[in-house]
Every structure is written in C-alpha cells, then in structure tokens.
Amino acid sequence: MAGLMIRDNRQIIPSLRDGAPTIGPIDALVMQNAAGYFTEAIDVGTFTEGIAFIKTASKGGTSPTLDCDLQYGILDSNNQHQWIDSGDSFTQITDDGFNLKKFTANFGKYIRFRLKIGGTATPKYTVTMRVVLKG
C-alpha cells in the first residue's frame, strides 16, 4: 500500500524522579507540602505531538495551587540531561478536576514536567497524570 502513513501512539504514566514526595508513577499520587517536583525524562524523539492530562481528585491545606510546566531536554557531552523551560504550562490548578495541555512539534529528544505545589498549612493534591504521544 504505497503512501500509507502509520502513526504510532503511546500512552505514558510519568513517574516522579528522586523519590520525592514518593517514588513511582503519578497515578492517584498524594503530593503535599509546598515544593517543586520533576518527572523522569520521557524519550519523545520519534513523536511529533503530545497531550498531557492531569486529574486532581482531592486537595487540602489553605489556598492550595498546582502548577505544571513542560521542559525540553538534551544529553550533554557527559551524558547528563540539561533542561530548559518550553513556555508550555498548564493553567494553574486550584480545583479538583481534569486538565489537559497539547504540545506539538519541535520539542526535541526528551521532555519532563515540573510540578509545583503551592499554598500554606500543608497544601496537597491527589494527582493522576498521563501523556499521550503521537508519531
């Protein structure tokens, strides 16, 4: 079948790196205390677009907020990731619910997400995150 284009789709459950606030996938993960967290690097080298989904099921504390920013990355000559903000961010999340952010083309070889919890009196969110990549 000449001219047939096959698109590869992949769904990923991002995981937090460095074990903070816990280790493992962001799947009904309770994130608490005002701080910033990063996901593990995601290899997106063969994909041309993606959609990130965040669902917050519960929140707590005083005036809790959740920010999520997309970062692009490369490996340097020492085989270490170097990251830069992409400018793509979710609108600040202040309520329970479902949020999405689409990102397209020119995002390089690696991406990761920075999640920032804000607020006072032990802010927390229960967070589920998925990334769907299309090639």
Side-chain angles (χ1 to χ4, degrees), residues 25 31-32 37 57 74 82 90 106 113 126 129 133 135:
M31 298 179 67
Q32 62 186 21
Y37 307 98
I74 60 167
Q82 300 296 317
F90 282 81
N106 301 320
F113 295 88
T126 301
M129 187 172 192
L133 299 167

PDB file of all heavy atoms in Angstrom, residues 25 31-32 37 57 74 82 90 106 113 126 129 133 135:
ATOM      1  N   PRO A  25       4.877   5.933  39.823  1.00  0.00           N
ATOM      2  CA  PRO A  25       4.078   6.650  38.840  1.00  0.00           C
ATOM      3  C   PRO A  25       3.137   7.679  39.477  1.00  0.00           C
ATOM      4  O   PRO A  25       2.721   7.530  40.620  1.00  0.00           O
ATOM      5  CB  PRO A  25       3.285   5.545  38.145  1.00  0.00           C
ATOM      6  CG  PRO A  25       3.253   4.415  39.118  1.00  0.00           C
ATOM      7  CD  PRO A  25       4.509   4.523  39.921  1.00  0.00           C
ATOM      8  N   MET A  31       0.465  14.306  46.585  1.00  0.00           N
ATOM      9  CA  MET A  31       1.603  15.227  46.613  1.00  0.00           C
ATOM     10  C   MET A  31       1.271  16.310  47.618  1.00  0.00           C
ATOM     11  O   MET A  31       0.212  16.926  47.542  1.00  0.00           O
ATOM     12  CB  MET A  31       1.836  15.831  45.226  1.00  0.00           C
ATOM     13  CG  MET A  31       2.176  14.799  44.174  1.00  0.00           C
ATOM     14  SD  MET A  31       2.429  15.537  42.541  1.00  0.00           S
ATOM     15  CE  MET A  31       3.931  16.463  42.857  1.00  0.00           C
ATOM     16  N   GLN A  32       2.179  16.527  48.578  1.00  0.00           N
ATOM     17  CA  GLN A  32       1.888  17.525  49.601  1.00  0.00           C
ATOM     18  C   GLN A  32       3.130  18.313  49.979  1.00  0.00           C
ATOM     19  O   GLN A  32       4.228  17.933  49.642  1.00  0.00           O
ATOM     20  CB  GLN A  32       1.259  16.884  50.825  1.00  0.00           C
ATOM     21  CG  GLN A  32       2.107  15.870  51.534  1.00  0.00           C
ATOM     22  CD  GLN A  32       1.319  15.201  52.654  1.00  0.00           C
ATOM     23  OE1 GLN A  32       0.106  15.192  52.659  1.00  0.00           O
ATOM     24  NE2 GLN A  32       2.030  14.637  53.589  1.00  0.00           N
ATOM     25  N   TYR A  37       8.597  19.463  42.101  1.00  0.00           N
ATOM     26  CA  TYR A  37       8.973  18.090  41.806  1.00  0.00           C
ATOM     27  C   TYR A  37       9.126  17.933  40.299  1.00  0.00           C
ATOM     28  O   TYR A  37       8.479  18.636  39.528  1.00  0.00           O
ATOM     29  CB  TYR A  37       7.904  17.112  42.314  1.00  0.00           C
ATOM     30  CG  TYR A  37       7.575  17.311  43.769  1.00  0.00           C
ATOM     31  CD1 TYR A  37       6.462  18.052  44.156  1.00  0.00           C
ATOM     32  CD2 TYR A  37       8.389  16.781  44.756  1.00  0.00           C
ATOM     33  CE1 TYR A  37       6.171  18.245  45.502  1.00  0.00           C
ATOM     34  CE2 TYR A  37       8.105  16.972  46.099  1.00  0.00           C
ATOM     35  CZ  TYR A  37       6.992  17.705  46.466  1.00  0.00           C
ATOM     36  OH  TYR A  37       6.707  17.895  47.789  1.00  0.00           O
ATOM     37  N   ALA A  57      -7.947  14.750  42.174  1.00  0.00           N
ATOM     38  CA  ALA A  57      -9.119  14.126  42.785  1.00  0.00           C
ATOM     39  C   ALA A  57      -9.465  14.739  44.131  1.00  0.00           C
ATOM     40  O   ALA A  57     -10.604  14.685  44.550  1.00  0.00           O
ATOM     41  CB  ALA A  57      -8.896  12.630  42.937  1.00  0.00           C
ATOM     42  N   ILE A  74      18.102  17.778  26.513  1.00  0.00           N
ATOM     43  CA  ILE A  74      19.104  17.107  25.687  1.00  0.00           C
ATOM     44  C   ILE A  74      20.082  16.401  26.622  1.00  0.00           C
ATOM     45  O   ILE A  74      20.095  16.668  27.821  1.00  0.00           O
ATOM     46  CB  ILE A  74      19.885  18.104  24.798  1.00  0.00           C
ATOM     47  CG1 ILE A  74      20.616  19.135  25.682  1.00  0.00           C
ATOM     48  CG2 ILE A  74      18.978  18.776  23.796  1.00  0.00           C
ATOM     49  CD1 ILE A  74      21.642  19.954  24.945  1.00  0.00           C
ATOM     50  N   GLN A  82      20.236  18.137  30.316  1.00  0.00           N
ATOM     51  CA  GLN A  82      20.178  19.578  30.523  1.00  0.00           C
ATOM     52  C   GLN A  82      18.773  20.016  30.112  1.00  0.00           C
ATOM     53  O   GLN A  82      18.283  19.620  29.053  1.00  0.00           O
ATOM     54  CB  GLN A  82      21.230  20.299  29.664  1.00  0.00           C
ATOM     55  CG  GLN A  82      22.647  19.879  29.977  1.00  0.00           C
ATOM     56  CD  GLN A  82      23.056  20.243  31.405  1.00  0.00           C
ATOM     57  OE1 GLN A  82      22.776  21.330  31.879  1.00  0.00           O
ATOM     58  NE2 GLN A  82      23.716  19.314  32.074  1.00  0.00           N
ATOM     59  N   PHE A  90       0.424  24.261  32.032  1.00  0.00           N
ATOM     60  CA  PHE A  90      -0.993  24.168  32.341  1.00  0.00           C
ATOM     61  C   PHE A  90      -1.417  25.469  33.007  1.00  0.00           C
ATOM     62  O   PHE A  90      -0.617  26.116  33.691  1.00  0.00           O
ATOM     63  CB  PHE A  90      -1.256  23.032  33.338  1.00  0.00           C
ATOM     64  CG  PHE A  90      -1.241  21.656  32.738  1.00  0.00           C
ATOM     65  CD1 PHE A  90      -0.053  21.000  32.510  1.00  0.00           C
ATOM     66  CD2 PHE A  90      -2.423  21.014  32.427  1.00  0.00           C
ATOM     67  CE1 PHE A  90      -0.022  19.727  31.971  1.00  0.00           C
ATOM     68  CE2 PHE A  90      -2.418  19.743  31.894  1.00  0.00           C
ATOM     69  CZ  PHE A  90      -1.213  19.094  31.663  1.00  0.00           C
ATOM     70  N   ASN A 106       8.783  20.089  17.320  1.00  0.00           N
ATOM     71  CA  ASN A 106       9.990  20.789  17.760  1.00  0.00           C
ATOM     72  C   ASN A 106      10.226  20.728  19.261  1.00  0.00           C
ATOM     73  O   ASN A 106      10.750  21.665  19.841  1.00  0.00           O
ATOM     74  CB  ASN A 106       9.971  22.248  17.285  1.00  0.00           C
ATOM     75  CG  ASN A 106       9.872  22.338  15.789  1.00  0.00           C
ATOM     76  OD1 ASN A 106      10.493  21.557  15.072  1.00  0.00           O
ATOM     77  ND2 ASN A 106       9.088  23.272  15.304  1.00  0.00           N
ATOM     78  N   PHE A 113       8.219  17.066  33.102  1.00  0.00           N
ATOM     79  CA  PHE A 113       7.290  18.026  33.672  1.00  0.00           C
ATOM     80  C   PHE A 113       7.767  18.439  35.055  1.00  0.00           C
ATOM     81  O   PHE A 113       8.270  17.617  35.816  1.00  0.00           O
ATOM     82  CB  PHE A 113       5.878  17.430  33.762  1.00  0.00           C
ATOM     83  CG  PHE A 113       5.285  17.151  32.409  1.00  0.00           C
ATOM     84  CD1 PHE A 113       5.498  15.937  31.785  1.00  0.00           C
ATOM     85  CD2 PHE A 113       4.548  18.121  31.755  1.00  0.00           C
ATOM     86  CE1 PHE A 113       4.970  15.679  30.529  1.00  0.00           C
ATOM     87  CE2 PHE A 113       4.023  17.880  30.504  1.00  0.00           C
ATOM     88  CZ  PHE A 113       4.229  16.651  29.885  1.00  0.00           C
ATOM     89  N   THR A 126      -4.193  15.126  45.261  1.00  0.00           N
ATOM     90  CA  THR A 126      -4.089  13.761  44.763  1.00  0.00           C
ATOM     91  C   THR A 126      -4.095  13.884  43.242  1.00  0.00           C
ATOM     92  O   THR A 126      -5.066  14.373  42.663  1.00  0.00           O
ATOM     93  CB  THR A 126      -5.246  12.885  45.263  1.00  0.00           C
ATOM     94  OG1 THR A 126      -5.216  12.875  46.699  1.00  0.00           O
ATOM     95  CG2 THR A 126      -5.123  11.459  44.736  1.00  0.00           C
ATOM     96  N   MET A 129      -1.602  11.566  36.304  1.00  0.00           N
ATOM     97  CA  MET A 129      -1.087  12.199  35.087  1.00  0.00           C
ATOM     98  C   MET A 129      -0.872  11.152  34.007  1.00  0.00           C
ATOM     99  O   MET A 129      -0.389  10.051  34.286  1.00  0.00           O
ATOM    100  CB  MET A 129       0.214  12.936  35.377  1.00  0.00           C
ATOM    101  CG  MET A 129       0.728  13.746  34.229  1.00  0.00           C
ATOM    102  SD  MET A 129       2.159  14.756  34.759  1.00  0.00           S
ATOM    103  CE  MET A 129       2.278  15.836  33.340  1.00  0.00           C
ATOM    104  N   LEU A 133       1.446  10.343  23.341  1.00  0.00           N
ATOM    105  CA  LEU A 133       2.353  10.816  22.286  1.00  0.00           C
ATOM    106  C   LEU A 133       1.920  10.236  20.953  1.00  0.00           C
ATOM    107  O   LEU A 133       1.544   9.062  20.877  1.00  0.00           O
ATOM    108  CB  LEU A 133       3.787  10.399  22.595  1.00  0.00           C
ATOM    109  CG  LEU A 133       4.348  10.960  23.894  1.00  0.00           C
ATOM    110  CD1 LEU A 133       5.636  10.248  24.279  1.00  0.00           C
ATOM    111  CD2 LEU A 133       4.569  12.463  23.780  1.00  0.00           C
ATOM    112  N   GLY A 135       3.051   9.883  16.762  1.00  0.00           N
ATOM    113  CA  GLY A 135       4.153   9.998  15.821  1.00  0.00           C
ATOM    114  C   GLY A 135       3.681  10.060  14.403  1.00  0.00           C
ATOM    115  O   GLY A 135       2.557   9.903  14.083  1.00  0.00           O
TER     116      GLY A 135
END
